[in-house]
Amino acid sequence: MTTETTASETPETPETASAPAPAASGLIGLPAPLGRALATGGGILAVVSTFMSWTWTSAFPGDLTVYGYPGGLQVLVLIGGTLTTLFGLASYGVRGLGALTPGSADSALKMAALGTFGTAWYTVIAISDELGGVVNLDPGGFVVAIATLAAVIGALALPFERPEPDPVDPDDTGWELFRHNSRQKMNTFRAAFAAKAPEPARPLPSWAEVLVIVAAMAVGLVVFSYGIGTSYDELFIGFLITAGFGFAAISKAGIVARVSAITTKHRNITMTGAFLAAAAFPFTQSNDQYATIGVYILIFATVALGLNIVVGLAGLLDLGYVAFLGVGAYTAALVSGSPSSPLHVQWPFWASALLGAVVAMIFGVVIGAPTLRLRGDYLAIVTLGFGEIFRITVLNLDGTSGPDVTNGSNGISSIPNLNILGFDFGAEHQILGSTIGRFANYLLLMLIITLIVVIVFRRSSDSRIGRAWVAIREDETAALAMGINGFRVKLIAFALGACLAGLSGSVQAHVTYTVTPEQYQFAYVVPPNSAFLLAAVVLGGMGTISGPLVGASLLYLIPAKLQFLGDYQLFAFGVTLILLMRFRPEGLIPNRRRQLEFHEEAEAPAVLTKAGA
């Protein structure tokens, strides 16, 4: 009889008895319990410090001189300190906080501590720089600086645990090495999947899941309203730091994955809640100032979602997509009663919007038919050329270089405001006791357009043709071998994306009053343009619905808020994009497949190591 010796039955030798098991360590050589205590205690002190005075004078914006009432940047540190404290207590296994961290409590604690440290120290440095030295700090400023420094030191002391690679036999042949590497990649892939997937949890009742969706939409509305309404530059930079690290913290904790699973289960409720939350935004504003930014963000986001069909689903790199937006805008402007239009007609909005979408779709078919047989860089170059051809063409249709259709560089101006069923979009209206201005009216209209685009995207991606797009994107040669008509499938994607862009362009023409060729360049100063649209899709998350919407919002909001940097604005913006692509290459709200492709060497949790032992 053959006997097997398990690990627990192995005889203990003096060498194995005296050699302790290697302990995982963090970036700083402190014991993990001490690091966890430092991080949690630092978070608590950071919260306490926000109720103290940070500076003696109200010259620094936000009035940080009041005891017992946080203001300005103190509110952001209060949020970060609260998250740090909660994740710290959850890492201790405090009863009742387990649901807060279905993922990794230690990883969430690190991100929260780093965000709190960044916001606090930015505020302390800004006070010292603007007011003339650290002498302008009150006790609260010193307390928050020391507390957040201790918290980040403690967080960095928490261990990083990775799966150990399989040993390589030096006598293996080439085929055996290939099999070993393949097996190792599969193990790493499984570890990455286990690291990203939240732990199984007790299913919530349906009413509780609906409440989770409502809470998520409410939080999203509050964060967006706060970010867009920041009244001074220092507050917006602090908001970016807190929001960025806060999102990373709740993502590491597994909350984002858990909420995403619930919203996926209740898609219709989620879409309805998102629409209502966005519709409530104008009612949270006291004037039309921030509704202006909101309507332009929606136009930008809707066009980016249309581009996501072409780039995210079908995998076609289109660098001239903004031209389809211009086609829709010019078409609607020509038939909307503008005095500078040579047609001198005024169609109702539904007719002009439908015409803009159809004409843009026709242009998509005409341009796509001879070019979509190309692939990769060649297709990108051709689409970039089409974008420039469109701009030069409308520039030359001025009555001198060509027929008088678009008024050349002057464009089509004085486009009248919409009037739908007696509702004048250019006038103020009283709705539910709130005054809704011009841009708020157009924001509500763009919400309806966005909802239409989202429904089209969702239905298309879930259909047979959507699966064919994904197959073409993953491997066109294999898709063709399986019988998919690659040219027809890509042409449908190109035409549908162009149609959605033309629909958004018909609204943009009325919002901006004027359409000119300079608005539709590849890299225009103000988005939307082809470069920013593509960046919005990649940054937000290719192939998803919410990804381009979030990416477009950030890409429009950040440059608008960084104007105080002057000549360094684009530099700071570029550095921000590089950092995001370095640490989040799959996008802010990624597709699951792409997330695992970009993180094959992700950290595996300690549970995985114990399970494998």
Side-chain angles (χ1 to χ4, degrees):
M1 180 182 295
T2 304
T3 58
E4 295 182 0
T5 303
T6 62
S8 58
E9 297 170 348
T10 303
E12 190 175 78
T13 63
E15 290 78 12
T16 58
S18 60
S25 60
L27 296 178
I28 299 176
L30 292 177
L34 177 58
R36 194 169 286 110
L38 277 175
T40 308
I44 295 174
L45 283 178
V47 171
V48 173
S49 69
T50 60
F51 294 90
M52 303 171 64
S53 172
W54 287 11
T55 181
W56 62 274
T57 173
S58 59
F60 188 82
D63 193 6
L64 310 183
T65 64
V66 181
Y67 278 88
Y69 186 81
L73 286 160
Q74 289 176 326
V75 176
L76 299 175
V77 175
L78 174 61
I79 295 172
T82 303
L83 287 176
T84 304
T85 303
L86 290 177
F87 290 136
L89 294 176
S91 67
Y92 275 109
V94 175
R95 187 173 182 180
L97 294 179
L100 188 64
T101 54
S104 172
D106 285 350
S107 297
L109 178 57
K110 293 173 190 175
M111 292 295 105
L114 284 171
T116 310
F117 171 79
T119 306
W121 276 73
Y122 166 74
T123 306
V124 169
I125 293 173
I127 292 174
S128 303
D129 177 65
E130 295 184 18
L131 301 183
V134 295
V135 69
N136 294 282
L137 293 175
D138 268 2
F142 292 104
V143 171
V144 74
I146 296 172
T148 53
L149 180 60
V152 79
I153 290 175
L156 294 178
L158 298 179
F160 293 91
E161 298 188 9
R162 302 177 185 272
E164 293 293 333
D166 296 334
V168 179
D169 188 349
D171 295 329
D172 281 348
T173 62
W175 172 248
E176 290 170 335
L177 284 174
F178 172 77
R179 293 180 60 189
H180 173 272
N181 292 335
S182 300
R183 185 170 60 252
Q184 181 61 34
K185 287 183 178 180
M186 181 58 68
N187 291 338
T188 306
F189 182 83
R190 289 171 178 169
F193 185 85
K196 292 296 179 182
E199 296 178 2
R202 252 180 281 170
L204 296 174
S206 297
W207 62 267
E209 292 181 339
V210 173
L211 288 180
V212 169
I213 295 174
V214 171
M217 297 304 164
V219 170
L221 176 62
V222 170
V223 171
F224 180 77
S225 301
Y226 187 89
I228 204 173
T230 49
S231 54
Y232 51 93
D233 304 329
E234 294 86 352
L235 185 61
F236 180 72
I237 294 178
F239 166 76
L240 286 181
I241 297 172
T242 303
F245 281 98
F247 177 80
I250 62 175
S251 179
K252 291 288 187 180
I255 299 176
V256 173
R258 186 63 52 82
V259 173
S260 298
I262 294 175
T263 55
T264 302
K265 181 180 177 181
H266 304 279
R267 286 187 175 183
N268 293 331
I269 296 177
T270 302
M271 288 179 58
T272 304
F275 179 82
L276 294 177
F281 170 72
F283 298 95
T284 64
Q285 307 300 309
S286 57
N287 54 49
D288 219 25
Q289 176 184 0
Y290 299 120
T292 306
I293 300 178
V295 69
Y296 283 117
I297 287 177
L298 273 182
I299 293 174
F300 187 18
T302 304
V303 180
L305 192 58
L307 178 61
N308 197 25
I309 294 178
V310 181
V311 177
L313 293 182
L316 306 174
L317 185 56
D318 188 353
L319 298 182
Y321 186 77
V322 74
F324 298 123
L325 177 69
V327 170
Y330 266 97
T331 302
L334 287 171
V335 299
S336 294
S338 170
S340 58
S341 170
L343 301 183
H344 303 294
V345 295
Q346 186 169 3
W347 290 13
F349 170 71
W350 66 266
S352 62
L354 184 61
L355 181 64
V358 170
V359 172
M361 182 178 65
I362 293 174
F363 268 83
V365 173
V366 170
I367 298 301
T371 60
L372 288 179
R373 300 188 186 276
L374 301 173
R375 298 187 188 182
D377 299 338
Y378 301 101
L379 177 62
I381 293 172
V382 170
T383 54
L384 177 61
F386 162 66
E388 287 301 302
I389 289 172
F390 167 77
R391 184 182 63 84
I392 294 173
T393 300
V394 296
L395 189 62
N396 290 332
L397 296 179
D398 56 355
T400 303
S401 302
D404 186 10
V405 178
T406 63
N407 294 325
S409 59
N410 294 325
I412 300 177
S413 59
S414 302
I415 301 173
N417 285 301
L418 292 176
N419 192 308
I420 301 177
L421 300 177
F423 186 89
D424 185 2
F425 281 75
E428 292 185 349
H429 299 275
Q430 292 290 330
I431 301 178
L432 300 177
S434 300
T435 301
I436 303 299
R438 176 180 183 272
F439 286 102
N441 296 331
Y442 280 106
L443 187 145
L444 296 176
L445 175 63
M446 273 307 304
L447 276 177
I448 299 176
I449 302 295
T450 304
L451 181 62
I452 294 174
V453 174
V454 167
I455 293 174
V456 170
F457 182 93
R458 176 183 166 187
R459 294 295 184 183
S460 300
S461 62
D462 292 341
S463 66
R464 180 178 179 181
I465 192 69
R467 294 192 294 272
W469 286 336
V470 174
I472 291 289
R473 181 193 68 194
E474 294 298 324
D475 192 329
E476 184 171 353
T477 303
L480 295 177
M482 295 302 294
I484 295 177
N485 189 333
F487 174 75
R488 182 176 66 88
V489 167
K490 291 191 291 185
L491 188 61
I492 292 175
F494 215 71
L496 182 58
C499 178
L500 298 180
L503 181 62
S504 300
S506 62
V507 180
Q508 185 204 28
H510 293 86
V511 173
T512 58
Y513 285 125
T514 303
V515 290
T516 58
E518 289 74 16
Q519 296 175 352
Y520 308 106
Q521 299 180 25
F522 171 73
Y524 187 48
V525 177
V526 178
N529 57 65
S530 292
F532 270 65
L533 287 171
L534 184 60
V537 173
V538 176
L539 173 65
M542 296 173 59
T544 63
I545 293 178
S546 54
L549 299 179
V550 174
S553 300
L554 289 177
L555 288 179
Y556 192 95
L557 185 61
I558 292 177
K561 291 289 187 176
L562 293 182
Q563 293 180 358
F564 68 94
L565 294 177
D567 295 337
Y568 296 98
Q569 176 184 351
L570 288 179
F571 172 77
F573 184 60
V575 170
T576 303
L577 289 183
I578 291 173
L579 292 175
L580 284 173
M581 289 296 98
R582 167 61 183 84
F583 295 103
R584 194 78 175 179
E586 72 275 19
L588 295 175
I589 305 179
N591 177 274
R592 183 67 174 164
R593 179 192 298 271
R594 293 183 59 82
Q595 187 177 23
L596 293 178
E597 287 176 355
F598 278 105
H599 291 280
E600 289 185 354
E601 298 179 357
E603 296 179 18
V607 173
L608 182 65
T609 306
K610 294 177 182 178

